[in-house]
Amino acid sequence: MADTKREIERKYESDDAALPDLTRVPGVASVRGRGVTHLDATYHDTADQRLAAASVTLRRRTGGADAGWHLKFPVAPGVRDEIRAPLSDTLPDELAALVRSRVRDRELRPVVRLRSDRDVRHLLDEQDRLLAEVSVDTVHAERLTGEGGEARWTEIEVELADDGDPAFLDKVEKRLRKAGVRPSSSSSKLARALAETETRTETAPAAGSSAREAAAGTPPATAPEAAPGHKHRPRPDGAPVTAGDHVLAYVRAQRDALVELDPAVRQDVPDAVHRMRVATRRLRSTFRSFRSVLDRAATGPAAADLKWLAAELGKDRDQEVLAERLTQALGRLPDDQVTGPVAERLAAWSEARHKGAHHELVAILDSRRHLSLLDTLDALLADPPLRKKAAARPDKVLAKAVAKDFGKLTRLVEHALELPPGPERDTALHEARKKTKRTRYAAEAAVPALGEPAEEAVRDMKSLQGLLGDHQDSVMARRTLRELAAVAHAAGESDFTYGVLYAGEAHRARVAEEALPEAWSSISRAFPF
């Protein structure tokens, strides 16, 4: 069974491997030597170094107190989550699954071997509690691919103790800098090893493309209406220029989110499914909203797969939202309105539904259709299917797309308001909610180009989405309460409390419907596009 540890550390280098007197660091009462440990680590990656391109490291290490398999994901500069599995000859399946969104069908193989002599010291406070671990590592790196190559260096590593204050690392760094020690130019030992052992036989990503896109390994997308001679060339500082640049930047951010959230969804991290579902919807909405920029014939297959993926993610997410909503509503009821084991039945329903949905979702993430979707998105970004308007200035093109989506939303909201309360209006409001999201995502993509007007549009759509979302959640909650009440009644339990909760949800729906006309009038009058 793998376990996860948050690792907060900083790396340094010096012309002199000797450490200064660290008892002069504020808060440090003593420095205790822990001896020298020999570490032998073999790092694994694909032939095109997909993991290294994403700053992800996978190694099998012997020696030290934590021998085994280590998988590290970047969280922030100097912060990584390390997932550990027991030592074995082959890569554990649970770790292989966590890198599948990046590796896909590529083989993982040994790429670098690092042998280190680690001289460890513990920084302790007055109560003899560990503040940080400081090590001087003498490293021998050996490239295991191509013609090979070797490198040697010495580095200093300072790792914060579990639950320690990150500000303590600033104090240590101040002392090290005074002694002539400087921050390392490499983010990790592996990054330095890859750079210093590289030979001319190694294949590097094509110039002007990201490592991820160079590693896609998929055929380029075609663009029947691509602008003649148009090239996707942001400014040298990376800022987008054309309408196409802005749309592609948004698409790239959502593609990255799908890949990066995959391990969190598999590990059932709270809110991970929701964030992945949002990224999926943003991508699909972008392909539909900006058809004047990206050719629909090329993006259509990806859009269909994104719709499928969003639906699969929704099974788990919708249940999660409902369970939280009903649990909170039950908790607000006075004791005399709660009869029977309502809380227990609700908890059992939630747990059973979640376990089943999560199991199915992991299978979806491992499916050929999902992995092919990721390859397709890589290919679309590597060779974008740009149309003529992609080369135009972004202000008019993006503003027109947002305005077009808002026009469709207007018709849906006004139609819903004309209907009497009931199932038909519920359906119409749900359709308006979906269009609200699409308009919001189009405005989000336009923010870097259009500034405050687009930000105002995003705020308006978020407000409307919240109102319509509360209404739709009430519709789904009432449906679930009817089902739970029927089960409770069949089991001989009182269904009174389910009725009370149902009435509360019906009231919330009426409040949302009554607030909608005024809210919509305000938004439609002030909408900036």
Side-chain angles (χ1 to χ4, degrees):
M1 178 67 68
D3 61 277
T4 303
K5 177 181 183 297
R6 176 61 56 89
E7 180 184 82
I8 303 176
E9 66 179 22
R10 298 182 187 180
K11 296 181 181 295
Y12 302 90
E13 54 192 33
S14 173
D15 298 328
D16 182 0
L19 287 173
D21 180 6
L22 296 177
T23 59
R24 297 177 62 182
V25 175
V28 175
S30 62
V31 177
R32 183 174 301 164
R34 304 298 295 178
V36 178
T37 302
H38 178 72
L39 306 174
D40 191 341
T42 300
Y43 288 78
H44 293 66
D45 205 338
T46 59
D48 49 13
Q49 297 178 16
R50 294 185 173 203
L51 298 184
S55 299
V56 175
T57 61
L58 173 64
R59 73 187 179 200
R60 179 186 184 274
R61 191 170 78 179
T62 58
D66 61 346
W69 287 89
H70 304 158
L71 173 60
K72 298 187 180 186
F73 291 103
V75 176
V79 183
R80 294 185 293 182
D81 279 341
E82 180 179 272
I83 303 169
R84 300 173 178 175
L87 190 64
S88 61
D89 292 336
T90 58
L91 175 64
D93 291 341
E94 54 197 319
L95 296 192
L98 296 179
V99 296
R100 189 156 292 135
S101 64
R102 293 173 170 88
V103 173
R104 299 172 204 172
D105 60 353
R106 301 301 177 93
E107 179 186 4
L108 285 166
R109 61 178 186 172
V111 292
V112 166
R113 182 183 184 187
L114 295 181
R115 284 170 285 180
S116 306
D117 290 323
R118 169 165 290 182
D119 187 1
V120 178
R121 295 165 178 81
H122 283 179
L123 306 187
L124 307 172
D125 66 10
E126 292 181 348
Q127 284 74 45
D128 217 28
R129 293 176 301 198
L130 180 65
L131 298 171
E133 179 177 283
V134 180
S135 63
V136 179
D137 296 346
T138 302
V139 185
H140 174 206
E142 178 185 1
R143 179 73 73 114
L144 303 178
T145 58
E147 293 183 354
E150 297 187 19
R152 298 176 187 272
W153 70 87
T154 298
E155 69 178 37
I156 298 170
E157 185 176 289
V158 183
E159 182 175 349
L160 189 67
D162 293 346
D163 300 321
D165 182 359
F168 177 70
L169 295 182
D170 295 332
K171 300 175 182 178
V172 178
E173 180 165 316
K174 184 177 181 180
R175 176 67 184 129
L176 292 175
R177 283 179 176 270
K178 284 185 177 180
V181 178
R182 57 190 178 277
S184 175
S185 57
S186 297
S187 59
S188 68
K189 287 183 176 67
L190 177 61
R192 183 166 182 173
L194 289 172
E196 295 193 10
T197 64
E198 185 176 14
T199 64
R200 284 177 292 181
T201 59
E202 298 290 339
T203 301
S209 65
S210 72
R212 283 184 196 160
E213 288 161 20
T218 51
T222 57
E225 296 186 55
H230 177 80
K231 295 185 182 297
H232 169 54
R233 289 180 178 172
R235 294 187 332 209
D237 62 1
V241 178
T242 65
D245 294 336
H246 283 275
V247 172
L248 288 174
Y250 194 72
V251 170
R252 184 174 294 104
Q254 307 317 315
R255 184 279 311 268
D256 290 351
L258 286 184
V259 172
E260 292 163 5
L261 285 167
D262 183 284
V265 171
R266 292 175 185 271
Q267 293 176 293
D268 207 12
V269 173
D271 206 40
V273 171
H274 170 62
R275 288 184 291 152
M276 180 179 278
R277 190 185 189 192
V278 169
T280 302
R281 285 174 162 171
R282 281 172 169 156
L283 268 172
R284 181 167 176 257
S285 293
T286 301
F287 290 153
R288 299 180 69 184
S289 295
F290 297 104
R291 287 176 288 183
S292 64
V293 175
L294 295 174
D295 183 66
R296 190 176 185 182
T299 63
D305 285 342
L306 288 166
K307 181 179 181 180
W308 159 77
L309 179 59
E312 295 295 338
L313 291 165
K315 294 177 182 178
D316 196 13
R317 174 58 182 170
D318 290 345
Q319 183 276 333
E320 181 183 7
V321 170
L322 273 177
E324 182 178 357
R325 183 183 181 100
L326 294 177
T327 299
Q328 291 178 352
L330 180 63
R332 290 192 295 266
L333 292 182
D335 292 342
D336 62 354
Q337 292 186 15
V338 180
T339 60
V342 181
E344 292 80 358
R345 183 167 293 282
L346 180 58
W349 167 82
S350 175
E351 183 177 0
R353 290 283 297 270
H354 174 70
K355 284 184 176 179
H358 184 72
H359 180 76
E360 292 177 9
L361 182 53
V362 171
I364 290 296
L365 297 181
D366 287 333
S367 69
R368 170 46 46 193
R369 184 174 185 180
H370 176 248
L371 298 177
S372 295
L373 168 61
L374 297 180
D375 283 341
T376 299
L377 294 173
D378 287 349
L380 288 171
L381 286 165
D383 187 12
L386 299 172
R387 301 185 67 187
K388 292 181 179 179
K389 288 187 178 179
R393 290 179 43 157
D395 45 6
K396 291 184 179 180
V397 174
L398 302 189
K400 183 177 180 180
V402 176
K404 186 175 181 179
D405 280 342
F406 186 73
K408 295 177 181 178
L409 171 61
T410 297
R411 291 189 288 274
L412 287 173
V413 173
E414 291 178 351
H415 170 66
L417 291 174
E418 292 172 354
L419 297 172
E424 189 177 356
R425 174 185 265 197
D426 292 343
T427 300
L429 290 175
H430 182 46
E431 291 302 313
R433 178 196 182 200
K434 291 191 289 186
K435 189 64 68 176
T436 300
K437 292 181 180 179
R438 179 172 161 182
T439 307
R440 171 188 169 182
Y441 300 149
E444 284 180 351
V447 165
L450 305 183
E452 176 57 31
E455 291 177 354
E456 181 182 346
V458 172
R459 289 193 295 269
D460 286 344
M461 293 302 97
K462 287 179 69 175
S463 174
L464 181 61
Q465 183 181 327
L467 186 62
L468 296 176
D470 191 50
H471 181 274
Q472 177 62 16
D473 288 346
S474 172
V475 172
M476 300 303 296
R478 281 177 280 161
R479 183 181 303 171
T480 299
L481 286 167
R482 284 195 297 268
E483 295 172 358
L484 290 173
V487 173
H489 181 77
E493 299 167 5
S494 171
D495 56 7
F496 171 77
T497 300
Y498 300 100
V500 174
L501 292 172
Y502 187 99
E505 289 295 344
H507 175 71
R508 292 180 69 171
R510 286 194 300 273
V511 169
E513 290 185 45
E514 291 169 0
L516 180 60
E518 182 177 350
W520 174 248
S521 176
S522 176
I523 289 172
S524 59
R525 286 197 310 268
F527 199 75
F529 297 109

